[in-house]
Amino acid sequence: MNRAEKAALQLQAVAVLRMLKTDRTYAELSAETGLPEGDLNRYVNGHVLPGIDRAEAIVGEIGREAVARELRSRVSVDDEGYVDNSAVVFDQSFLDRVAPVAATSVGFDRPDVVLTAATDGITLGAAMASYFDARLAYAKKSKETAVEEFIEARQRLTSGIELTYYLPAAGLAAGESVLIVDDLIRSGETQELLLDIASQADAEVVGVFTLIAVGDEGLARARERIDAPVAALTTVE
């Protein structure tokens, strides 16, 4: 980790603590994090930055639960199991907080490309790509008229409907490392299509990340396909 990356991690830790402090006293924050009240006061007020080891713990462990808790508060599930996460995917500042927490707590390798599916995955993809300083590529259900070459992945769903995604061939090159992200995973069919696109491009998948897993079927299907981290920030039933 170079000096700039260390400084960024320390600032992200402060951002996590400030987020937690909005509805807690220092005593409550100390009880939750295990950190002394005096240290927390100095971090939150910008008088000093936490050390690297402590910053990693704040972002990766404390931060993951804090962000997951906020995510759950923003998501609703109706009686038929449909998930409304519009309060998440439309809030870029929240997604920008998710990115370092996901990267630190899960341990994804830095990718060359972050790959997602249009449209709801794009804002998360943008946050993750910005954090990793990677390119963002997103597959669509239709071809762009000005693009001549595509990587195409097709799958027949259990309902009998055929789902196809297209990625412009320039979006992903052989030998590049790719992190697949999406806002939600249920059956895992969309993620499998993205994995198929990465495979056709001869790219190396370094992980699959999603904000919300509905059950564990989709995560299990992704884990069967790759030998890399597969993670969701939170799970709903």
Side-chain angles (χ1 to χ4, degrees):
M1 188 182 297
N2 61 37
R3 184 178 298 179
E5 290 171 334
K6 290 178 180 178
L9 177 64
Q10 290 170 305
L11 291 172
Q12 289 151 9
V14 171
V16 168
L17 293 176
R18 286 175 175 169
M19 177 180 66
L20 292 172
K21 181 61 181 67
T22 56
D23 57 358
R24 294 166 177 80
T25 65
Y26 281 112
E28 291 169 337
L29 188 56
S30 177
E32 184 171 341
T33 63
L35 301 178
E37 290 182 47
D39 289 356
L40 290 170
N41 186 302
R42 287 188 286 273
Y43 298 153
V44 170
N45 288 292
H47 299 310
V48 66
L49 294 174
I52 297 302
D53 290 344
R54 183 170 282 185
E56 287 181 337
I58 292 169
V59 175
E61 300 169 16
I62 300 166
R64 179 165 183 169
E65 179 52 37
V67 172
R69 189 163 51 245
E70 183 177 349
L71 173 62
R72 289 190 292 270
S73 73
R74 292 168 175 239
V75 171
S76 62
V77 184
D78 68 17
D79 294 338
E80 296 181 0
Y82 290 102
V83 178
D84 179 6
N85 64 355
S86 55
V88 175
V89 297
F90 294 158
D91 188 342
Q92 194 67 54
S93 64
F94 173 70
L95 295 176
D96 289 340
R97 295 202 302 272
V98 167
V101 169
T104 304
S105 63
V106 179
F108 294 117
D109 290 338
R110 183 181 298 275
D112 299 310
V113 180
V114 173
L115 176 63
T116 189
T119 56
D120 283 353
I122 292 176
T123 49
L124 174 63
M128 298 294 283
S130 176
Y131 173 77
F132 283 116
D133 194 22
R135 299 198 323 276
L136 172 65
Y138 51 90
K140 297 181 178 181
K141 294 180 182 178
S142 59
K143 292 183 177 181
E144 298 179 32
T145 55
V147 179
E148 295 184 359
E149 296 184 27
F150 292 88
I151 304 172
E152 178 180 327
R154 189 185 306 261
Q155 184 175 123
R156 186 174 294 277
L157 308 184
T158 54
S159 61
I161 298 173
E162 193 170 76
L163 180 61
T164 306
Y165 273 102
Y166 304 92
L167 177 72
L172 192 57
E176 289 188 309
S177 57
V178 56
L179 174 65
I180 292 173
V181 307
D182 208 351
D183 64 307
L184 184 145
I185 186 170
R186 189 186 297 270
S187 64
E189 291 162 336
T190 299
Q191 289 72 27
E192 283 201 323
L193 288 166
L194 295 174
L195 287 167
D196 287 343
I197 287 173
S199 177
Q200 291 182 56
D202 290 325
E204 177 192 1
V205 178
V206 298
V208 175
F209 175 69
T210 183
L211 292 174
I212 305 161
V214 182
D216 58 7
E217 178 186 355
L219 294 175
R221 288 177 67 169
R223 290 183 179 119
E224 290 174 357
R225 289 283 304 268
I226 62 169
D227 184 21
V230 176
L233 194 57
T234 193
T235 301
V236 299
E237 298 297 334

